[in-house]
Amino acid sequence: MAEPRFAVVAEGLRKRYGDTEALAGLDLRVPAGTVHGLLGPNGAGKTTAVRILTTLARPDGGTARVAGHDVVREARAVRGRIGLVGQHAAVDEILGGRQNLVMFGRLYHLGAARARRRADELLERFRLADAAGKAVGEYSGGMRRRLDLAASMILAPPVLFLDEPTTGLDPRARNEVWDAIRALVDGGTTVLLTTQYLEEADRLAAGISVIDRGRVIAEGTPDQLKKRLGGDRIEVALDDPGSLTAAAEIVGRVASGGVDVDAEALRIGAPVSGRAAALTEAVRALDDAGVKVADIGLRRPTLDEVFLHLTDKEEVSS
Ligand SMILES: Nc1ncnc2c1ncn2[C@@H]1O[C@H](COP(=O)(O)OP(=O)(O)O)[C@@H](O)[C@H]1O
Ligand SMILES: [Mg+2]
């Protein structure tokens, strides 16, 4: 069978736990061979979606196909084509990294020689060969996550699900895991990853679905989403309350959207589109007007602001 164009297609997925509507009609399309980010805050329904797509839970409504097979009617076929790295590691802490991978290989019915060969390949690929004999209990967080990834790749599944692969990792370990994920996709694997971090989706994903309360509230490439959000923000901190009005007026001239004035903290913020130009113009205009600035800079919108913005929009349109 030819590989389907979309590795994951979900339409109107619903799942309820008691009074909680974990999924309220989730739609998703992941082109084969790409990384897709499912971005959302705690409780948005990310794990529930992953559990349904990996056949661990049944939807109450809607349909989903993974690698061309229906997750309910063809659950076995789906299971043979996917890997899953959940929020909690499945590896044994007492065993060494290599022993863990060989054990998984045997569980997947590889012969002893093939299981050993596959373990060595994967240790090499995830840069764990030097730590192959070390007990996993002594691995760093990043090494452990890479071992989780390696274990999920023993059968080289075409579609891999990663549920918050870097939550709890320090920045360096996070980078190592990102590199490992990029290497997988270079090898042709389709990756659906959930994350609470805009930056992570931004760095890795070709497409992003922002989800909240069990539904997709925005989707697109990282650039498209950032444009929708008005790009970066300019932030100005002042010393003198008397200059607040003049400063707000100047920031308003370079802004691409509404100006937020925090009179108590003496801070002014606004979205801008042309990064450097807006900053230069603001600095110059503030200086010309004799406004004394304590601090001025550009920053990315936080995930909180992204969600606020998106949910505001949604309420206006519905
Ligand atoms: N097994 C369960 N029993 C009851 N409620 C659940 C269960 N799993 C998830 N939920 C609820 O469904 C919602 C979505 O949860 P989840 O999919 O885990 O979100 P996320 O992974 O985005 O944090 C949350 O309100 C959560 O409390
Ligand atoms: Mg979760």
Side-chain angles (χ1 to χ4, degrees):
M1 194 182 95
E3 204 186 309
R5 193 155 85 85
F6 291 100
V8 178
V9 179
E11 277 162 5
L13 284 183
R14 297 185 169 277
K15 182 75 181 178
R16 178 174 275 287
Y17 292 107
D19 288 340
T20 307
E21 198 167 33
L23 293 182
L26 185 86
D27 298 318
L28 206 58
R29 261 166 202 272
V30 179
T34 68
V35 182
H36 193 85
L38 209 54
L39 173 68
N42 235 328
K46 302 182 297 296
T47 296
T48 304
V50 167
R51 287 177 54 79
I52 289 172
L53 295 171
T54 56
T55 78
L56 297 174
R58 259 171 171 267
D60 298 332
T63 59
R65 297 178 77 78
V66 171
H69 297 276
D70 187 280
V71 294
V72 176
R73 284 183 290 108
E74 302 168 286
R76 264 174 78 92
V78 170
R79 268 179 233 136
R81 288 166 175 80
I82 60 171
L84 167 65
V85 180
Q87 274 175 283
H88 305 287
V91 293
D92 185 302
E93 304 221 339
I94 296 162
L95 297 181
R98 185 166 189 268
Q99 284 173 307
N100 261 291
L101 294 183
V102 172
M103 182 190 73
F104 276 108
R106 300 307 304 267
L107 286 175
Y108 294 136
H109 308 297
L110 298 185
R114 268 196 72 200
R116 284 197 299 269
R117 207 172 338 118
R118 187 69 182 140
D120 288 333
E121 280 167 19
L122 290 167
L123 288 165
E124 198 65 49
R125 177 141 151 219
F126 289 95
R127 297 192 296 109
L128 290 167
D130 291 344
K134 201 156 127 177
V136 171
E138 291 165 37
Y139 277 26
S140 69
M143 289 164 75
R144 236 180 234 240
R145 272 284 130 142
R146 270 145 54 212
L147 188 65
D148 286 337
L149 283 174
S152 71
M153 289 304 291
I154 286 178
L155 298 182
V159 187
L160 186 59
F161 292 86
L162 307 177
D163 196 5
E164 299 201 23
T166 67
T167 295
L169 295 185
D170 62 42
R172 193 178 141 208
R174 187 169 287 177
N175 265 305
E176 290 173 358
V177 172
W178 288 348
D179 284 344
I181 295 171
R182 286 192 193 102
L184 283 175
V185 177
D186 287 345
T189 308
T190 304
V191 174
L192 179 78
L193 79 93
T194 76
T195 183
Q196 300 189 36
Y197 306 120
L198 180 63
E199 190 200 354
E200 179 157 286
D202 190 8
R203 293 287 196 89
L204 287 177
I208 297 176
S209 301
V210 183
I211 75 166
D212 191 27
R213 282 175 264 152
R215 277 175 307 132
V216 174
I217 57 173
E219 60 191 347
T221 66
D223 272 352
Q224 286 168 340
L225 283 177
K226 275 185 269 169
K227 276 196 192 117
R228 266 189 68 169
L229 299 171
D232 296 278
R233 289 178 65 81
I234 189 167
E235 299 276 335
V236 182
L238 303 168
D239 284 326
D240 173 15
S243 58
L244 202 63
T245 312
E249 192 266 319
I250 289 166
V251 170
R253 267 189 259 152
V254 304
S256 60
V259 180
D260 301 319
V261 178
D262 184 339
E264 208 165 310
L266 293 183
R267 296 188 74 89
I268 296 163
V272 293
S273 37
R275 289 170 52 85
L279 185 61
T280 319
E281 194 186 328
V283 169
R284 197 173 295 147
L286 288 163
D287 192 45
D288 286 350
V291 173
K292 203 159 158 285
V293 167
D295 192 25
I296 183 164
L298 290 169
R299 66 170 179 80
R300 285 282 163 89
T302 64
L303 186 54
D304 284 346
E305 286 163 344
V306 171
F307 284 120
L308 267 179
H309 181 92
L310 290 169
T311 41
D312 277 349
K313 270 231 162 96
E314 193 181 42
E315 274 159 19
V316 169
S317 65
S318 62

